[in-house]
Amino acid sequence: MIKKLGNTFVLETKKTTYAFQVTETKHLAHLYYGRKIRLSEDAAGVKEVHIFQPGNGISYDKEHQNFTLDDLKLEMSSYGKGDAREPFICLTHEDGSVTSDFLYEKYEIKENKEEICGMPSSYDDEGNASTLLITLKDKAYDLTLVLKYSVYPEENVITRSAELINDSENTVKIRRIMSNQLDLDAGDFDFTNFTGAWTREMKKSVMPLKAGKIVNSTYVGVSSNRANPFTMISRRNATEDFGDVYGFNLIYSGNHYSAAEVSPYGKIRFVSGINPEGFEWTLDKKDTFQTPEAVMTYSAEGFTGMSHNMHRFVRKHIVRGQWRDKVRPILLNSWEACYFDISESKLLRLAKAGKEEGIELFVMDDGWFKGRNDDKRALGDWEPDPKKLPGGLKSLCDKVKRLGLDFGIWVEPEMINEDSDLFRAHPDWSLSIPGKDHSEGRNERFLDLTRTEVQDYIIEKMSKVFDSADISYVKWDMNRNMSDVYSASLDKERQGEVAHRYMLGMYRVMKTLTEKFPQILFEGCAAGGDRFDLGILSYFPQIWASDDTDAFVRSEVETNYSYGYPMSVISSHVSATPNHQTLRRTPLETRFNVAAFGVLGYEYNFPDLYADELNQIKADIEFYKQWRELFFFGDFYRGRKYQDASDITALANFTGNELEWTVVSPDKKKAAGMLMQMLVHPNSETAIFTPKGLDPDKDYHFYNRALKYNIKDFGSLINAVSPVHVRPDSFAHNMLAKKFHMDGELEDIKSSGSALMYAGVHLKPSFASVGYNNDVRYYPDFGSRIYLVEELDNGDEEK
Ligand code: GLA
């Protein structure tokens, strides 16, 4: 709900209030963002009081000697009139001046959420959102700035963007234009961001906001694995369940910038938008520039409360199309099973083995198009390789479909190899500086998507591929960062526009293709998580979150994505052990458990596996099919988290070694929890799992799956029970392992939601050398369990 009280604008959601006021000077003073409050008409007590000009400060004008912009919370700050903090906007005017002064002119309230032109934006198909448009005019130049606020009451989310309109007869250069600015009163706050690299995305860093500024940005052309655009500001004492937490994101896939700055007066300023580094946009007369849309939320209920706001928002107002509310098919992808070495017969063997396990969708990854035997050639051409696929895509697809599986493929449409027919025909179609050496990344270059004819080429080529067979799923990859950014089709004065124009072109291509093929399930990918953002999620309902399929790495990566993104957009696969990225060995049980909380898939050479593993995988898939609605639609909670493995004190104190996740159905009738450990902590008999999000007043049945363990996992300990000596890994050992299995422990507890959550469930002890029977947990390094929780109906004691 949006209302105007006197000269105060109030934006209300179910649990939050956001307010700002027009000052006497016609600037916009930010008043408040936080838990819901009732404001008096004049905002007494909430607005700042400034009686004298601080020494050495800049007075705004003669009539307002006591008014300095530098120490006022503002909705947006123009550069040049005394506010020396991070500005919202920096322009170079025709006369060379870099000073702007945007002042309030009028407002409009709309009872809907409008799309943002040419860019992905949030949407509302439930009729709850409303929008406030604030029009500002520059005092000295003919420029209009419209600040757009949309309010999503149910999700406690506010989005912001800005549009600059050049009403003058001159061009103006935009050097910086942000999407969001939030000024907060001084306080003990932390800033959290998520940085990383290929195969180790989303490392969480919490930094105190004390002085100066912290910047979270990327300048590699894409939203990047080095700094995800999602960030948080939290009160220092905030925990998972209590305390002030703000979450911020940007619906954008290119160079982004967020900064949290502590002013000399202690106030906090947060800004976010397109990265001004390398960006310069010439705005012609009568032209407009629209910024990407920023997303923010606040919760007084700690990190979990903030995450839940973001999760609901992403699920309902970012992800769209036919797949939004549908559980996803369990897929088997050929990449880690075959890499580039594919052929129709090999793929069919894999698909057949997948079908036997219960797989629903078979995905042919890279390597299928002409000459693509490695990553050095053929990107751009998109014709099936006749040697590998003699009958083309259709023949393979039809055969896969006859097995009873859906069929999907991998593409990387935005890229071109120098060694391709496309490059030979159109050498100027890639982003590169004419006549200069180019730096390659994975032997490929970006196609120049600032050009309409290149966008049209991709749309046409991809349409042909998608139409050539009954394709149900597309993995849309993108495998490099930008370098040598230059478009041969733009004037030299406009080269600072290339990176953003690329994004606009890319969004046009994605929008056209996803609208043309609404039945296809698209999955975004960028060497794993190099472009995991809300821009991509506006077109593709899920993203391959990391090329790292190691269950331990993934358990942390997924925990950290979960701060800003729902698990239902995080694609997660079970793969071989030792793992191909880390050589770490983790139990199959854990590999499945971790993947099941995301969108489950496999990339695993099933035809190579032995009966034990195949049986386990089959049982896992069957289990997942029974429970996947919960995993997909449930509310996700983080519990305990790992501490740095090097923190010996933490381990010695029995903390920091465990990870807990719970997913709870919206009606709180069902839940699934995961407990995972990093390393075995010997002789620790007491282990506790603390589910979250249950109804404290309901009674529940808490139990686990009946699993069996391989006696070979106990190594030469077999000789502690065997009447004859068994040489480890000998024929006899393998024969025994085939015949006998160790029963896993069973938990079977009936208790109230309050007891399960607040006292924690005390589990059966894990193996501690002195004995093992079926009341003892087999729990090696990286061991884990899924626990199931179901509401007990009255008289349903036997469940
Ligand atoms: C990227 C992707 C992988 C795989 C390969 C294929 O690295 O992230 O999943 O598709 O490309 O070349």
Side-chain angles (χ1 to χ4, degrees):
M1 184 174 161
I2 299 168
K3 55 190 178 195
K4 188 164 180 283
L5 291 175
N7 59 354
T8 303
F9 291 93
V10 184
L11 283 61
E12 270 181 353
T13 69
K14 233 172 161 176
K15 293 187 176 174
T16 67
T17 300
Y18 183 103
F20 59 94
Q21 196 170 58
V22 183
T23 65
E24 224 179 271
T25 55
K26 296 205 172 315
H27 293 92
L28 297 179
H30 177 78
L31 296 179
Y32 173 79
Y33 186 32
R35 64 197 299 169
K36 204 159 186 169
I37 55 171
R38 198 155 44 81
L39 274 171
S40 60
E41 181 134 343
D42 59 355
V46 175
K47 70 179 174 200
E48 294 182 40
V49 183
H50 293 276
I51 306 291
F52 54 83
Q53 185 199 350
N56 193 226
I58 307 275
S59 295
Y60 174 64
D61 62 11
K62 289 207 182 67
E63 289 78 58
H64 303 93
Q65 293 283 343
N66 297 338
F67 181 73
T68 168
L69 287 165
D70 203 23
D71 189 24
L72 187 68
K73 302 203 296 288
L74 291 166
E75 277 304 292
M76 64 79 52
S77 172
S78 331
Y79 178 75
K81 296 301 287 180
D83 180 2
R85 294 167 288 178
E86 286 272 327
F88 187 85
I89 192 164
C90 286
L91 306 172
T92 305
H93 302 284
E94 184 65 9
D95 58 6
S97 151
V98 291
T99 294
S100 301
D101 190 14
F102 284 94
L103 301 178
Y104 175 76
E105 193 178 80
K106 60 176 184 187
Y107 79 98
E108 190 186 347
I109 296 173
K110 296 186 159 190
E111 291 310 320
N112 67 337
K113 168 68 176 73
E114 277 170 25
E115 262 194 34
I116 285 179
C117 222
M119 247 185 292
S121 57
S122 63
Y123 72 102
D124 175 40
D125 58 3
E126 291 170 340
N128 292 328
S130 48
T131 301
L132 170 67
L133 304 175
I134 299 278
T135 302
L136 309 167
K137 288 265 186 202
D138 190 276
K139 200 171 172 184
Y141 302 92
D142 244 350
L143 297 168
T144 303
L145 184 69
V146 182
L147 302 182
K148 306 178 182 180
Y149 299 80
S150 288
V151 179
Y152 289 89
E154 293 299 311
E155 293 76 18
N156 298 303
V157 162
I158 293 174
T159 69
R160 280 189 68 174
S161 73
E163 189 176 1
L164 181 68
I165 304 155
N166 183 359
D167 304 307
S168 76
E169 290 305 315
N170 303 310
T171 58
V172 61
K173 281 206 182 292
I174 309 173
R175 290 171 22 241
R176 157 195 287 236
I177 182 164
M178 291 286 113
S179 299
N180 196 5
Q181 173 176 324
L182 177 66
D183 284 2
L184 299 171
D185 283 323
D188 276 345
F189 288 104
D190 290 326
F191 181 77
T192 302
N193 68 349
F194 299 88
T195 61
W198 179 67
T199 64
R200 51 179 168 81
E201 292 83 354
M202 296 300 279
K203 198 84 191 156
K204 179 171 160 233
S205 303
V206 184
M207 293 160 279
L209 285 172
K210 280 193 170 156
K213 67 181 94 160
I214 299 173
V215 170
N216 180 67
S217 73
T218 150
Y219 187 28
V220 296
V222 297
S223 51
S224 92
N225 48 31
R226 53 183 64 211
N228 191 276
F230 173 74
T231 56
M232 304 188 283
I233 290 180
S234 53
R235 195 79 69 174
R236 189 131 324 130
N237 59 8
T239 64
E240 273 294 348
D241 304 306
F242 307 103
D244 299 325
V245 180
Y246 298 87
F248 304 98
N249 212 337
L250 203 57
I251 309 179
Y252 192 56
S253 313
N255 290 326
H256 62 82
Y257 177 88
S258 318
E261 179 178 10
V262 184
S263 86
Y265 303 98
K267 292 189 173 107
I268 310 284
R269 168 162 299 171
F270 173 82
V271 292
S272 81
I274 294 176
N275 193 345
E277 188 72 50
F279 170 86
E280 190 180 56
W281 191 279
T282 305
L283 192 65
D284 288 330
K285 57 181 184 187
K286 309 297 171 212
D287 211 354
T288 65
F289 183 87
Q290 166 68 51
T291 72
E293 190 177 18
V295 177
M296 62 180 153
T297 190
Y298 161 83
S299 176
E301 289 145 38
F303 292 97
T304 300
M306 185 281 306
S307 292
H308 283 178
N309 292 344
M310 281 294 185
H311 292 177
R312 288 171 193 148
F313 177 76
V314 173
R315 290 167 121 158
K316 285 199 344 218
H317 304 296
I318 293 291
V319 173
R320 63 203 77 193
Q322 287 185 9
W323 283 97
R324 186 184 79 170
D325 301 322
K326 267 202 246 168
V327 291
R328 311 292 154 75
I330 305 164
L331 65 80
L332 172 61
N333 175 299
S334 66
W335 183 241
E336 285 197 21
C338 311
Y339 294 106
F340 289 102
D341 185 15
I342 57 172
S343 65
E344 187 177 284
S345 57
K346 203 168 165 188
L347 291 172
L348 285 172
R349 197 162 57 245
L350 183 60
K352 192 161 173 285
K355 175 68 192 169
E356 277 158 25
E357 295 301 287
I359 292 289
E360 297 162 323
L361 164 70
F362 179 71
V363 179
M364 172 174 64
D365 209 278
D366 200 353
W368 60 266
F369 41 102
K370 208 165 157 195
R372 185 75 172 169
N373 297 322
D374 51 32
D375 62 10
K376 294 192 173 52
R377 66 205 91 244
L379 285 175
D381 295 348
W382 305 115
E383 299 296 334
D385 191 326
K387 284 195 202 125
K388 295 178 183 174
L389 305 176
L393 288 178
K394 181 149 181 20
S395 151
L396 173 65
C397 174
D398 288 349
K399 287 174 189 160
V400 169
K401 296 222 70 149
R402 276 205 289 280
L403 288 173
L405 293 165
D406 282 334
F407 178 69
I409 53 164
W410 175 97
V411 290
E412 194 178 352
E414 300 158 64
M415 295 292 154
I416 182 169
N417 286 123
E418 236 184 313
D419 185 359
S420 67
D421 294 342
L422 183 64
F423 190 83
R424 285 180 279 275
H426 298 284
D428 60 331
W429 271 18
S430 70
L431 286 186
S432 43
I433 313 164
K436 304 284 187 299
D437 288 345
H438 190 81
S439 301
E440 308 281 342
R442 213 193 183 204
N443 313 301
E444 62 195 40
R445 297 183 186 187
F446 279 90
L447 278 166
D448 182 355
L449 291 191
T450 68
R451 300 168 76 138
T452 317
E453 67 272 33
V454 180
Q455 298 163 21
D456 289 341
Y457 172 84
I458 299 180
I459 292 168
E460 189 207 310
K461 270 283 168 186
M462 286 302 122
S463 298
K464 207 172 143 218
V465 170
F466 302 162
D467 271 331
S468 69
D470 189 359
I471 289 170
S472 311
Y473 161 103
V474 166
K475 177 175 169 186
W476 183 299
D477 207 345
M478 189 290 295
N479 275 303
R480 67 161 294 180
N481 291 327
M482 285 185 187
S483 68
D484 309 271
V485 177
Y486 195 96
S487 169
S489 71
L490 289 171
D491 292 345
K492 63 176 192 289
E493 298 77 35
R494 289 193 177 267
Q495 293 302 323
E497 299 175 16
V498 172
H500 181 58
R501 282 189 186 275
Y502 178 92
M503 285 301 142
L504 299 180
M506 178 191 87
Y507 289 141
R508 182 186 156 233
V509 172
M510 288 180 175
K511 186 171 193 307
T512 310
L513 285 168
T514 48
E515 283 175 1
K516 194 166 171 195
F517 297 93
Q519 77 289 0
I520 292 183
L521 170 60
F522 283 88
E523 175 164 327
C525 173
D530 200 24
R531 208 168 55 182
F532 196 110
D533 60 65
L534 299 183
I536 298 298
L537 287 171
S538 301
Y539 302 103
F540 306 156
Q542 60 191 54
I543 301 181
W544 179 230
S546 172
D547 267 354
D548 204 322
T549 54
D550 175 298
F552 174 60
V553 172
R554 268 302 185 118
S555 65
E556 199 177 17
V557 165
E558 290 174 25
T559 301
N560 290 342
Y561 274 121
S562 83
Y563 282 92
Y565 304 90
M567 293 301 241
S568 57
V569 304
I570 301 173
S571 158
S572 186
H573 294 176
V574 179
S575 65
T577 199
N579 176 267
H580 288 198
Q581 292 76 41
T582 60
L583 295 181
R584 184 182 281 121
R585 288 166 200 271
T586 55
L588 177 57
E589 183 180 3
T590 295
R591 283 175 274 150
F592 167 75
N593 291 350
V594 170
F597 276 77
V599 178
L600 176 72
Y602 286 76
E603 37 193 294
Y604 211 161
N605 202 354
F606 287 165
D608 275 357
L609 303 186
Y610 294 99
D612 243 23
E613 257 187 307
L614 288 171
N615 291 340
Q616 185 55 48
I617 290 170
K618 200 179 214 163
D620 289 344
I621 290 178
E622 217 175 284
F623 163 80
Y624 182 75
K625 285 179 181 167
Q626 277 166 25
W627 286 84
R628 66 173 150 190
E629 308 243 321
L630 168 68
F631 286 117
F632 191 77
F633 296 111
D635 293 319
F636 179 79
Y637 292 79
R638 293 173 297 268
R640 282 176 291 171
K641 285 174 266 322
Y642 305 129
Q643 270 170 28
D644 197 322
S646 61
D647 189 346
I648 301 296
T649 347
L651 287 186
N653 287 330
F654 296 86
T655 61
N657 194 34
E658 262 99 17
L659 180 75
E660 288 175 321
W661 292 345
T662 313
V663 61
V664 185
S665 65
D667 61 7
K668 297 196 182 283
K669 284 176 184 255
K670 278 184 175 190
M674 185 184 80
L675 176 68
M676 178 171 169
Q677 76 171 354
M678 202 154 41
L679 299 176
V680 169
H681 193 54
N683 186 19
S684 47
E685 220 177 336
T686 308
I688 298 174
F689 176 65
T690 41
K692 296 182 95 173
L694 306 177
D695 181 341
D697 298 325
K698 279 190 179 10
D699 286 328
Y700 291 101
H701 180 198
F702 177 100
Y703 62 102
N704 63 337
R705 299 170 64 197
L707 293 179
K708 294 193 180 293
Y709 297 95
N710 192 325
I711 58 169
K712 284 185 70 186
D713 289 331
F714 296 77
S716 55
L717 273 179
I718 189 167
N719 290 312
V721 289
S722 167
V724 290
H725 185 81
V726 180
R727 187 173 170 214
D729 212 24
S730 60
F731 178 73
H733 199 186
N734 283 313
M735 287 310 288
L736 285 169
K738 263 192 199 159
K739 221 167 152 41
F740 301 106
H741 291 89
M742 310 289 269
D743 282 323
E745 87 292 358
L746 288 179
E747 303 288 354
D748 185 8
I749 292 164
K750 292 185 177 115
S751 185
S752 68
S754 58
L756 294 173
M757 289 192 292
Y758 309 146
V761 184
H762 290 67
L763 303 166
K764 292 184 173 162
S766 58
F767 176 80
S769 172
V770 286
Y772 183 88
N773 63 25
N774 54 14
D775 273 332
V776 173
R777 249 176 326 136
Y778 167 70
Y779 210 54
D781 287 350
F782 315 112
S784 72
R785 287 288 183 279
I786 281 185
Y787 295 107
L788 301 164
V789 186
E790 285 187 89
E791 187 187 1
L792 280 174
D793 292 339
N794 284 338
D796 187 19
E797 289 297 297
E798 293 318 304
K799 208 167 189 179

